[in-house]
Amino acid sequence: AALVDAGVVEQLGEPDHEGRMVRVTIDLQDEFALHQPLSLFALEVLEELDHEADDYALDVLSVVEGVLENPRPVIKAQTDRAKSEAMAEMKMRGVDYDERIAKLDEITFPKPLNEFLWGCFQTFRQHHPWVGDNTVRPKAIAREMYEMGFGFRDYVQYHGLKRSEGVLLRYLSDAYKGLIQNVPEQQKTDEVWDLQEWLGELVRQVDSSLIDEWERIQAGADGIDASSAAPDELVALEPERSDVTTNKRAFAVMVRNEAFRLVQLLARRDYTAFAEVPGAGGGRLRSSDIEEQMAPYWDEYSSIGIDADARHLAMFTWDRPSGSVTQILADPEANFEWRIDAEVDLEASRTEGTAVLAVVGIRRLE
């Protein structure tokens, strides 16, 4: 009945030519499946998103993440980091101790679309009482990795998840499968396809067995019935990596993410971390060199944008034949004169399983 109400299937007055009394009303990919308790909720919410919004692809990912179980160690690490950063910021501003402690109780992990998803869920629950104790769980783990330009190892290090790598990897694998199975193809823009390919390749580069085995089951290989097969409990080992550069969609996202990560480092004036990025020709820029190159920028502007507009594709160019990358910095006055020049190191990218950029320099457009 819920599927009929959602317009996904329709009941027929008499059997069709295949003898069916019920049929699907929309075109769905072969892999489509409502395999999560709230998959139908996700399907309905996707219809409410603005396809023209700049953040549409990331919002689709947030809907998928919102119907997955919370990976507790990751959620705790996100919360602890948010509280630590808030405490440091309040101390710097001289906020009273009791007030700091009170405010810390309000701080939690990132929850994109929180009010929107909860509002939709309350309406959904009224018409679908069978959901029982299942509830929506807004969170941003895969989304946070994407927005911060992190690879798997970067994210593990950032949140101190060394002992919870398996939990994180399993969660990212489930998010990838959710994009494939829960999002109808007519809801997938080019940006959603890019995001899906990026997430799948990210998981595959860490442990290809998590994806390969699932895809083998989906294809019904060796006579396995995909509808009844239980997922294997796979352990993250060190399998032989595929060439990450051959997946053009996923690798393009990785290159953009790495370029934008450099922007974020400059925005925080974290020249030490920026100096850890390889330089063109095999050398490295010193943090003092980077600070010197950025000094004229900070003389003129007070900040560097790191929002959705700053991340827009128009701010990034990659000439594939030469490998040269240009990432424009979003200054407060929208002059867009400053940029980071870099080169894609294909050999290092193959070795690392993610995009590796070599920084050429930071310059103001003449």
Side-chain angles (χ1 to χ4, degrees):
L3 290 170
V4 171
D5 290 341
V8 178
V9 301
E10 63 178 350
Q11 293 177 295
L12 305 177
E14 56 185 39
D16 65 7
H17 66 283
E18 293 185 7
R20 298 175 300 186
M21 293 298 295
V22 178
R23 67 183 176 192
V24 178
T25 61
I26 58 178
D27 291 331
L28 297 171
Q29 59 270 33
D30 291 340
E31 300 89 350
F32 187 84
L34 298 173
H35 67 295
Q36 295 287 341
L38 293 182
S39 290
L40 179 60
F41 168 71
L43 185 64
E44 291 190 12
V45 172
L46 290 172
E47 293 284 350
E48 303 300 318
L49 298 179
D50 180 5
H51 287 221
E52 303 301 321
D54 289 339
D55 282 347
Y56 172 72
L58 290 174
D59 288 346
V60 169
L61 178 58
S62 290
V63 171
V64 171
E65 289 199 76
V67 301
L68 297 177
E69 291 290 331
N70 285 349
R72 292 183 181 179
V74 185
I75 294 296
K76 182 179 184 303
Q78 287 181 319
T79 304
D80 290 346
R81 186 176 187 89
K83 289 187 175 184
S84 295
E85 291 177 349
M87 176 64 84
E89 190 270 336
M90 286 188 288
K91 280 184 178 179
M92 188 180 303
R93 291 192 290 110
V95 178
D96 178 74
Y97 175 80
D98 290 337
E99 185 179 349
R100 294 202 306 262
I101 297 302
K103 286 184 177 296
L104 285 182
D105 291 337
E106 303 172 4
I107 296 172
T108 183
F109 54 92
K111 299 179 180 180
L113 304 183
N114 185 50
E115 293 184 6
F116 169 73
L117 288 175
W118 274 109
C120 292
F121 183 70
Q122 295 310 317
T123 302
F124 181 84
R125 186 195 292 274
Q126 293 173 10
H127 298 92
H128 305 86
W130 47 263
V131 299
D133 294 334
N134 292 301
T135 186
V136 66
R137 298 176 176 85
K139 53 188 167 294
I141 296 172
R143 178 168 180 159
E144 183 179 55
M145 291 181 70
Y146 178 87
E147 290 185 317
M148 300 190 74
F150 280 156
F152 184 82
R153 284 176 292 179
D154 299 324
Y155 195 73
V156 167
Q157 183 178 4
Y158 181 74
H159 280 304
L161 295 169
K162 190 66 177 177
R163 295 187 177 182
S164 303
E165 288 181 334
V167 174
L168 174 61
L169 190 61
R170 173 64 70 178
Y171 174 85
L172 295 175
S173 176
D174 288 343
Y176 169 63
K177 295 171 187 176
L179 284 173
I180 291 178
Q181 293 184 310
N182 289 173
V183 182
E185 290 192 352
Q186 62 263 35
Q187 302 279 7
K188 293 182 180 179
T189 60
D190 285 343
E191 289 77 14
V192 176
W193 280 111
D194 288 346
L195 200 59
Q196 178 177 301
E197 285 296 308
W198 163 78
L199 187 54
E201 192 62 33
L202 184 148
V203 174
R204 187 176 282 109
Q205 289 297 317
V206 180
D207 185 358
S208 62
S209 63
L210 279 168
I211 301 298
D212 295 343
E213 177 67 9
W214 177 71
E215 289 178 344
R216 186 176 70 86
I217 292 175
Q218 286 295 109
D222 300 329
I224 294 175
D225 179 4
S227 64
S228 61
D232 294 340
E233 291 298 325
L234 301 171
V235 179
L237 303 172
E238 282 293 335
E240 182 180 351
R241 278 202 186 108
S242 60
D243 184 351
V244 69
T245 66
T246 60
N247 188 333
K248 292 185 177 181
R249 270 187 184 271
F251 190 61
V253 174
M254 291 178 181
V255 172
R256 290 207 309 270
N257 281 355
E258 180 62 11
F260 195 71
R261 187 177 74 87
L262 298 180
V263 174
Q264 293 173 315
L265 293 176
L266 292 182
R268 298 198 301 268
R269 307 194 193 201
D270 191 347
Y271 303 133
T272 300
F274 197 102
E276 294 176 359
V277 179
R284 288 184 186 273
L285 293 172
R286 295 177 301 178
S287 59
S288 57
D289 296 331
I290 302 163
E291 186 173 3
E292 183 179 340
Q293 292 182 28
M294 286 299 296
Y297 179 93
W298 294 121
D299 287 342
E300 187 171 357
Y301 304 115
S302 60
S303 64
I304 297 175
I306 55 173
D307 57 7
D309 290 337
R311 195 187 180 100
H312 196 278
L313 191 57
M315 306 289 280
F316 168 88
T317 59
W318 173 24
D319 182 59
R320 286 179 182 262
S322 68
S324 64
V325 168
T326 300
Q327 176 67 52
I328 299 173
L329 302 185
D331 60 85
E333 296 179 15
N335 291 321
F336 306 132
E337 298 172 314
W338 285 80
R339 55 213 58 215
I340 302 169
D341 291 326
E343 297 173 351
V344 177
D345 188 332
L346 292 177
E347 195 58 43
S349 298
R350 294 185 184 101
T351 301
E352 296 297 323
T354 190
V356 175
L357 300 187
V359 176
V360 175
I362 305 163
R363 63 186 173 93
R364 183 175 192 164
L365 188 66
E366 296 297 336

